[in-house]
Amino acid sequence: MKKVFIFALVLLIFSSMFAADVVYKRDETLYAGGGMWAPPSNWSPITPWNAVTGTVGLLYETLFNYDPLTDTLIPWLAESGKWTSNKTYEIKLRKGMTWHDGHPLTSKDVKFTYELAKQIPEIYYSPVWNWLAKIDTPDDYTVVFTFSSPRYHEWSYDLYQNPILPEHIWAKKSKDDVLTGANEKAIGSGAYLFETYGTDRMIYLRNDNWWGNKVFGQPKPKRIVYLTVSSNNVALGMIMKGELDCSNFFLPGIPTLKKTYTDIHTWFDKEPYMLSDNTAYLFFNTTIKPLNDPNLRRALAYAIDPTIIAKNVYEGQVLPSNNVGFLPIKGWMKFYPENAVKQYGFKYDPKTARSLLDKAGYKDVNKDGYREAPDGSKFKIEISVPYGWTDWMESAKIIAAQFVQVGINAEAKFPDYSKYNDDLISGKFSAAISNSGSQMTISPWTSFNWLFNSPISENMYNGNFGKYNNQKLFDLVTQLNSTPMDDTAANKKVIEQIAEIFLKDMPAIPLWYNGMWFEASTQVWKGWPSEKTPYAYPTTWGGRWQTGGVMMLIGLKQ
Ligand code: CA
């Protein structure tokens, strides 16, 4: 007995070492990084923000995918989906789909996935039941969602965001296991299988029985080795040597290196090299004096020159934001509020900033070089960004210097990430840069819902970090959500009103677009998507594979 036990133990130790050290056939393997920051330990679609990247997208799948390049919802597990009345959305599932263990995937799994969150209100998507009334499954392939008060924008987002679970596995789990289980050896429906993992890598094996092979084509890499990489510099070296095929890291130096290393691929061959993926905003704490004064916040918008940041900090790898933080993607720009921007927009113009400050009563009374508040009190704006986020640290310093230029005492401040985040959520800051909810989605509503999140509470976990309180604006964001997505004119009308309030009150200032960082090596894999062949949005970030990552795997060549 003892011998067997030791043998098993030795085998166990060997097999876990094996995961890290085994050499896979190079031309069958894709090495990727930029979306995993800790040793793999969670594959739960119920806690996707903690899960290894690919948990949603590669293992578990969504009803639709979304392609931001063409602004199209791509039927995925769903073969089609449509509003059959203003309160009912009907989905037809594809036939012949199976889970990784061979069980058929049917309408019952979809119904179960949603109803699980009704039973267990701690599940992140359970608030859908505030506006979803019931789900019917007239047959194995039809799902009818009936809403009490439909939220069209949110629903379009959920359709490609929420992974569908296998009922035959998840119905047997305890509540605790559902909520906090690691879900190792996850059984999904996707193009890749959970193979193994090591401390610095997750290894996915291609699912040769994937239902999608017949629909979309088979992904080219037999294996994906997803790596944690200790620093951006290490990632840069790996890209140059061809050890990393696909990187979603921000890599300083790419514009220069591309000139020498012709096998480094980026989306654009010249500036800005990267697609724009999310908007960095400067939030102001609107609950403290004098930052509660919209005149001050608006004047400061004129003091910031984001083009300097784009050039000096990002070497031209990012673009300055437009006035309302709208990403330059089809799905958002079709709603762009040009009238509000024309009437209330701002631009870098320190002269205007100074005159607006003068007019609002901000003057240097004691002649120390900085303006005092209208009541004569001294103040200083501290701009918080997490320590170690070198690009943001540099940017915060530039903004502080630009504030000083117009006579506002300001300084960049670098707390460690957890303090930065706690301060942001609890409102213990004067100004802070954040992009946590401004990422590319199917609708600018997601970004508004983050910027103007309501109601205001002690801790703001989901945005509106400066606790800007404006019920009229909150109502408009709700109204936008309840406007059918295909009524462009009606959506634009609401967005014009939102933008007017935003630009007049400036609770946050849009700065620049962080890139969809993407550097690929053409040494092993070719056919990467680019401006010239824009077949997929090149992302392998957690929760984002279904916005292009999987399509990229299908489109690769050798
Ligand atoms: Ca002064």
Side-chain angles (χ1 to χ4, degrees):
M1 276 301 280
K2 209 176 172 191
K3 257 185 196 163
V4 172
F5 174 73
I6 289 168
F7 178 71
L9 195 71
V10 167
L11 204 70
L12 196 74
I13 291 165
F14 265 97
S15 65
S16 64
M17 283 168 60
F18 203 59
D21 298 343
V22 72
V23 178
Y24 299 115
K25 263 196 184 164
R26 188 64 183 88
D27 61 354
E28 293 180 349
T29 311
L30 180 87
Y31 288 87
M36 193 164 85
W37 305 96
S41 65
N42 175 314
W43 298 266
S44 174
I46 293 294
T47 49
W49 53 92
N50 279 333
V52 174
T53 184
T55 296
V56 181
L58 297 180
L59 298 176
Y60 294 92
E61 296 174 293
T62 46
L63 292 167
F64 285 80
N65 276 17
Y66 177 66
D67 178 15
L69 302 164
T70 55
D71 186 27
T72 323
L73 272 173
I74 304 168
W76 205 259
L77 294 177
E79 189 174 54
S80 65
K82 61 173 187 246
W83 289 96
T84 48
S85 82
N86 61 4
K87 287 194 171 173
T88 48
Y89 189 85
E90 185 181 288
I91 279 167
K92 293 280 183 196
L93 291 178
R94 296 178 192 277
K95 290 181 179 153
M97 295 187 296
T98 54
W99 296 99
H100 291 160
D101 60 6
H103 269 255
L105 191 165
T106 70
S107 57
K108 290 187 185 66
D109 295 307
V110 179
K111 185 177 159 81
F112 169 79
T113 300
Y114 276 89
E115 289 186 343
L116 187 65
K118 197 179 185 181
Q119 285 168 37
I120 306 178
E122 291 92 337
I123 292 178
Y124 75 92
Y125 55 88
S126 72
V128 73
W129 287 101
N130 295 332
W131 43 287
L132 175 62
K134 60 167 182 157
I135 301 172
D136 294 303
T137 51
D139 61 54
D140 277 356
Y141 304 103
T142 309
V143 190
V144 182
F145 294 88
T146 305
F147 295 90
S148 49
S149 50
R151 300 181 183 178
Y152 300 101
H153 288 250
E154 200 166 349
W155 183 244
S156 300
Y157 176 73
D158 287 356
L159 281 175
Y160 72 89
Q161 207 63 38
N162 289 353
I164 301 304
L165 312 175
E167 179 179 18
H168 68 282
I169 293 169
W170 286 75
K172 291 179 198 147
K173 289 182 189 253
S174 69
K175 182 179 164 182
D176 265 5
D177 197 18
V178 167
L179 289 173
T180 60
N183 195 35
E184 196 168 331
K185 305 209 165 90
I187 299 288
S189 57
Y192 283 82
L193 306 167
F194 183 114
E195 187 172 49
T196 186
Y197 64 97
T199 50
D200 70 338
R201 63 194 59 203
M202 174 66 205
I203 296 154
Y204 291 107
L205 176 67
R206 190 174 59 199
N207 172 14
D208 288 333
N209 297 319
W210 183 44
W211 61 269
N213 291 338
K214 280 176 277 185
V215 182
F216 302 109
Q218 187 174 44
K220 302 303 181 296
K222 183 177 175 191
R223 276 197 182 77
I224 298 170
V225 177
Y226 209 100
L227 298 166
T228 54
V229 179
S230 57
S231 76
N232 294 7
N233 275 335
V234 174
L236 188 64
M238 291 174 77
I239 279 282
M240 284 156 62
K241 284 184 273 183
E243 293 170 0
L244 195 60
D245 299 305
C246 177
S247 147
N248 288 138
F249 291 101
F250 165 62
L251 301 181
I254 282 292
T256 316
L257 283 167
K258 259 181 79 82
K259 290 177 191 137
T260 327
Y261 294 85
T262 52
D263 47 20
I264 297 178
H265 171 94
T266 50
W267 184 268
F268 300 104
D269 281 333
K270 49 184 197 302
E271 283 186 13
Y273 302 97
M274 309 290 155
L275 289 164
S276 300
D277 184 78
N278 58 79
T279 309
Y281 280 87
L282 182 66
F283 279 87
F284 293 116
N285 188 338
T286 67
T287 67
I288 57 168
K289 273 187 172 177
L291 285 164
N292 60 345
D293 178 4
N295 292 324
L296 171 61
R297 301 193 299 256
R298 209 173 132 72
L300 291 173
Y302 286 87
I304 301 173
D305 181 9
T307 56
I308 294 289
I309 294 170
K311 261 203 170 45
N312 295 3
V313 180
Y314 290 96
E315 310 153 287
Q317 293 196 66
V318 307
L319 296 171
S321 171
N322 58 36
N323 275 194
V324 287
F326 266 41
L327 291 167
I329 53 174
K330 265 184 150 180
W332 291 24
M333 290 310 285
K334 68 185 179 191
F335 301 137
Y336 188 72
E338 61 251 356
N339 294 327
V341 170
K342 202 190 269 171
Q343 233 180 316
Y344 307 103
F346 59 91
K347 61 176 199 300
Y348 173 58
D349 181 359
K351 222 178 120 193
T352 303
R354 286 189 201 101
S355 86
L356 287 172
L357 289 167
D358 290 345
K359 245 188 269 174
Y362 294 83
K363 291 182 180 146
D364 183 6
V365 201
N366 62 2
K367 304 292 169 204
D368 67 348
Y370 298 119
R371 295 169 191 266
E372 277 72 46
D375 66 4
S377 60
K378 286 182 162 199
F379 69 97
K380 181 170 157 187
I381 300 175
E382 290 181 323
I383 303 168
S384 297
V385 298
Y387 182 78
W389 294 27
T390 50
D391 46 337
W392 282 25
M393 287 164 73
E394 220 36 63
S395 305
K397 281 192 213 161
I398 291 173
I399 295 167
Q402 289 173 346
F403 285 174
V404 170
Q405 287 274 309
V406 298
I408 297 293
N409 192 2
E411 194 180 33
K413 197 182 153 191
F414 312 127
D416 66 51
Y417 178 79
S418 67
K419 175 148 174 51
Y420 154 87
N421 201 44
D422 288 349
D423 290 353
L424 195 67
I425 287 166
S426 57
K428 294 190 194 87
F429 67 96
S430 62
I433 298 177
S434 176
N435 66 340
S436 61
S438 62
Q439 74 277 9
M440 181 284 293
T441 63
I442 193 168
S443 159
W445 170 82
T446 57
S447 183
F448 288 145
N449 185 48
W450 168 74
L451 274 172
F452 316 126
N453 200 263
S454 69
I456 304 296
S457 54
E458 199 182 333
N459 290 313
M460 298 298 290
Y461 295 104
N462 300 313
N464 195 357
F465 304 115
K467 300 187 178 177
Y468 172 67
N469 203 346
N470 185 329
Q471 194 55 46
K472 195 181 159 201
L473 180 62
F474 300 158
D475 292 344
L476 285 166
V477 174
T478 305
Q479 191 189 335
L480 178 66
N481 199 5
S482 321
T483 306
M485 291 283 287
D486 56 3
D487 192 342
T488 308
N491 281 298
K492 254 189 100 152
K493 207 176 148 195
V494 183
I495 288 173
E496 285 280 2
Q497 296 172 70
I498 292 173
E500 183 181 331
I501 296 175
F502 174 65
L503 291 168
K504 279 179 173 168
D505 270 13
M506 228 65 257
I509 301 172
L511 302 168
W512 70 86
Y513 304 124
N514 285 295
M516 179 59 252
W517 316 125
F518 166 58
E519 309 86 11
S521 163
T522 55
Q523 291 185 32
V524 177
W525 296 98
K526 296 176 174 58
W528 296 100
S530 72
E531 178 194 18
K532 288 170 201 123
T533 50
Y535 69 85
Y537 194 80
T539 180
T540 69
W541 284 338
R544 302 288 295 276
W545 289 85
Q546 67 275 32
T547 62
V550 178
M551 292 310 279
M552 177 165 72
L553 298 174
I554 294 168
L556 285 179
K557 294 186 179 90
Q558 274 181 322

